[in-house]
Amino acid sequence: MTTSSAPRPRRSVLRALALAALLGGLTPVGPASALAAEPETFTLTIRHLDRTGRPATEYGTQVLGLAGEGADEAVHPYDASGTTTVRLPRGRYMLNSALTDRRGGISTDWIVQPRLDLDRDTVVTVDARTTAPVDVRPPDPAAVFRRSGMFVEVSHGGVSREVNIVNATPSLRVAHLGPDAEPGSVRQWFDAYWSNDTAQYALGQTFTGSRALTGLTRHYAQKDLATLRLRAGARPGTTGTARYDLQPKGDTTVSAYGQLTAPGTTTFHVTPDRGTWNMTYTAPTAPEGTPNRYVADITARAGATTTHTFDNPVFGPSLNGRPGAERDGDKLLMDVPMLADGDGHAPSSPSYDTAFTTLTRDGVRIGTHSGTPGQAEFTVPPSRAAYRLTSTVSRRGATGATTRATASWTFTSEASTARTAGKTRGNTPLKTTGTSTPGRSPLPLSTVRFSPPLDATGTATAGTPVRVPVTVEGAAANGRVRSLKVSVSTDGGASWTRLPVEDGAVTIHNPRAGTGVSLRAELTDTAGNTLEQTLVDAYRTE
């Protein structure tokens, strides 16, 4: 018996079918479709050598795509022999490999190749003998190493990839591998943390160029560092354990973190050239309570000391660089922290019992919102009108830490001719940040901050006169105050005594021990906008 089969189409016929499909809207089928879909691939062979030059067996390697047909690739090839192969599409990649050395303790060799152009079968040798030590130290030789992280970000054609290595020991060695990448396309940063009995050291550096680092040496002197002092306040009658987290702002990195008994103080020495540092402070919380966090961005300057006190009076409204309220077409959006702490740090979840905000237009009430203190959204007519915005928050059991805060602002407003599309989510008010949102118009709100000399428990010495600095924030700041009146009460706001404001401060004669001191401010700015602000039981004497 004989069999027969149809002849296989020639390659030229397949190409013709594929071309016809592209030009005529046909769908290629069979082998032509497979040829069109499969990218060209090449073999990448990676040889790993340890510090003795022998094949490494304990390593982790990653290859990430940057451009070309392999732009979305992310592979982790491994073979116990030390040599591994993988097939990848044509394109630009970055490679990094961490090799572990266990002789005399655990140490790591981290080798980064920012530029790997795969356009043919390629062999790469990752050799631990090419690395050099990372030797970054604080000025105190007795300081103990805590942790470090090194990060490399490579950018190419609008795509960025980031790799990192985190270490619990100081024995890291690093090296660049391969050709240079484009100038400025490689950004690398290193953050290391040390501590002694009295302080912590946060030593960070950033580098930008065309290569990854091969070694890094920096021994800091005390004069090279800035000092950040964190004071954990304890509102009257409260104590507990606070948590903190300090790290450079803006980058993925490791941090200095820990716990602190409140009231208490901890000190950091940081590198100014790392940019702005970000501090997150979580106040002591009852087991069933909601954690209340404060966040501060701190600019460090070599030789200078900056102190931030968290969760301590006087609590009250604060703008601290934010607009507070904005007009967006027919929407009036408000976000004023009504219980910012004495340093102006806005709380994430302040404790309170009641909170409400009311808006009137030409004397007619538009509406009232209750809920989160100082947050509200109102729909208003477009025409120009006079508005009064009043926000109040009350909390029982907060004696000496503001039991009631009220702020009432007056201003005129109308819809802007350039408005953005609606940006609400149901009935949830939008939050504003440090600057006005594009398309919105900031409203001329102001706040007044009082800074009496208080101890870490938020109390002042009874029976003594104290100078209390008065600071204006918002629309009336920077010399735009037409008038400012300040009053004090020692009977819970039942009666008030006017105090002269002299050289940016008032003098208060503190009452007998155990008495709450309330504060009031009445302000008019140079444009005629006003503020009436009252803080009942702002601080307490002892």
Side-chain angles (χ1 to χ4, degrees):
M1 182 176 68
T2 62
T3 62
S4 65
S5 61
R8 299 179 62 185
R10 295 191 304 272
R11 187 175 300 274
S12 60
V13 175
L14 294 176
R15 284 199 291 265
L17 288 173
L19 179 60
L22 291 173
L23 295 177
L26 301 176
T27 301
V29 295
S33 177
L35 286 174
E38 292 181 3
E40 186 179 18
T41 62
F42 301 99
T43 298
L44 174 63
T45 301
I46 309 171
R47 300 172 60 236
H48 301 83
L49 302 178
D50 64 19
R51 293 181 187 175
T52 67
R54 298 186 180 93
T57 59
E58 193 170 353
Y59 64 88
T61 293
Q62 182 182 41
V63 183
L64 298 174
L66 282 167
E69 294 177 325
D72 296 326
E73 295 286 344
V75 296
H76 300 77
Y78 175 80
D79 190 278
S81 68
T83 298
T84 180
T85 61
V86 61
R87 288 196 68 84
L88 293 170
R90 177 191 297 269
R92 168 75 66 91
Y93 296 85
M94 70 177 298
L95 177 149
N96 80 102
S97 184
L99 300 88
T100 301
D101 190 299
R102 297 184 179 275
R103 295 173 302 164
I106 298 177
S107 60
T108 302
D109 297 287
W110 193 43
I111 299 172
V112 178
Q113 181 165 346
R115 178 177 182 173
L116 172 57
D117 293 313
L118 193 63
D119 54 8
R120 61 180 68 97
D121 292 345
T122 302
V123 177
V124 172
T125 299
V126 176
D127 190 341
R129 294 171 297 177
T130 65
T131 63
V134 174
D135 183 13
V136 176
R137 303 180 194 174
D140 179 8
V144 177
F145 178 86
R146 297 303 180 188
R147 67 192 63 87
S148 72
M150 182 170 280
F151 300 76
V152 177
E153 181 186 66
V154 178
S155 301
H156 180 75
V159 175
S160 295
R161 294 281 198 170
E162 181 183 304
V163 295
N164 67 78
I165 189 164
V166 176
N167 285 275
T169 64
S171 53
L172 174 66
R173 299 171 64 91
V174 298
H176 169 90
L177 177 63
D180 288 4
E182 289 75 14
S185 65
V186 180
R187 183 170 178 265
Q188 188 162 356
W189 57 98
F190 176 71
D191 294 308
Y193 300 92
W194 302 66
S195 66
N196 57 24
D197 293 337
T198 60
Q200 300 183 60
Y201 293 90
L203 310 178
Q205 300 178 69
T206 303
F207 310 88
T208 301
S210 59
R211 298 172 60 86
L213 292 175
T214 295
L216 173 62
T217 300
R218 181 70 188 270
H219 298 169
Y220 285 95
Q222 193 64 42
K223 65 180 179 60
D224 301 324
L225 305 176
T227 299
L228 307 181
R229 185 167 289 118
L230 184 158
R231 295 179 68 231
R235 292 175 293 170
T238 67
T239 56
T241 300
R243 300 192 304 274
Y244 61 81
D245 189 294
L246 177 72
Q247 64 181 36
K249 182 180 179 180
D251 289 325
T252 304
T253 189
V254 292
S255 63
Y257 58 86
Q259 296 183 339
L260 177 65
T261 300
T265 302
T266 190
T267 301
F268 305 88
H269 301 296
V270 306
T271 48
D273 52 352
R274 193 62 175 88
T276 300
W277 289 81
N278 178 268
M279 173 70 76
T280 299
Y281 175 89
T282 304
T285 307
E288 68 281 2
T290 301
N292 184 31
R293 296 181 179 86
Y294 299 91
V295 177
D297 291 336
I298 305 170
T299 301
R301 183 167 55 86
T305 298
T306 302
T307 300
H308 277 252
T309 302
F310 291 90
D311 205 39
N312 216 42
V314 171
F315 295 91
S318 177
L319 297 178
N320 198 17
R322 67 177 68 207
E326 296 176 302
R327 180 72 179 261
D328 184 6
D330 61 355
K331 299 294 183 182
L332 192 153
L333 312 167
M334 176 191 182
D335 184 9
V336 177
M338 291 295 291
L339 291 170
D341 68 12
D343 273 13
H345 307 121
S348 65
S349 303
S351 61
Y352 68 97
D353 294 302
T354 61
F356 55 88
T357 299
T358 299
L359 180 70
T360 66
R361 181 180 186 272
D362 289 337
V364 178
R365 188 167 68 90
I366 295 293
T368 297
H369 284 264
S370 60
T372 305
Q375 290 188 13
E377 177 183 309
F378 301 95
T379 301
V380 296
S383 58
R384 185 176 181 84
Y387 289 89
R388 177 179 287 273
L389 180 65
T390 302
S391 192
T392 299
V393 56
S394 300
R395 51 184 184 176
R396 298 182 296 271
T399 304
T402 306
T403 55
R404 183 180 178 90
T406 300
S408 184
W409 298 271
T410 67
F411 51 87
T412 58
S413 178
E414 61 184 322
S416 171
T417 55
R419 61 162 295 186
T420 56
K423 298 180 180 179
T424 61
R425 293 187 296 271
N427 294 321
T428 303
L430 294 179
K431 293 185 177 181
T432 58
T433 53
T435 57
S436 181
T437 303
R440 300 180 184 177
S441 302
L443 297 172
L445 270 57
S446 300
T447 56
V448 175
R449 303 288 299 169
F450 299 98
S451 304
L454 305 176
D455 63 19
T457 62
T459 57
T461 304
T464 61
V466 293
R467 183 178 183 273
V468 179
V470 179
T471 305
V472 175
E473 299 176 336
N478 301 317
R480 294 189 293 270
V481 175
R482 178 183 297 173
S483 67
L484 174 60
K485 301 174 183 177
V486 173
S487 303
V488 63
S489 173
T490 57
D491 55 11
S495 61
W496 296 89
T497 300
R498 182 72 53 78
L499 301 174
V501 181
E502 299 173 336
D503 297 327
V506 296
T507 298
I508 297 177
H509 292 269
N510 281 335
R512 65 182 184 278
T515 303
V517 178
S518 303
L519 299 167
R520 171 180 288 172
E522 300 167 82
L523 178 147
T524 302
D525 69 17
T526 52
N529 309 297
T530 69
L531 163 70
E532 296 177 10
Q533 177 182 302
T534 302
L535 307 177
V536 176
D537 213 6
Y539 70 92
R540 196 166 182 81
T541 58
E542 67 171 7

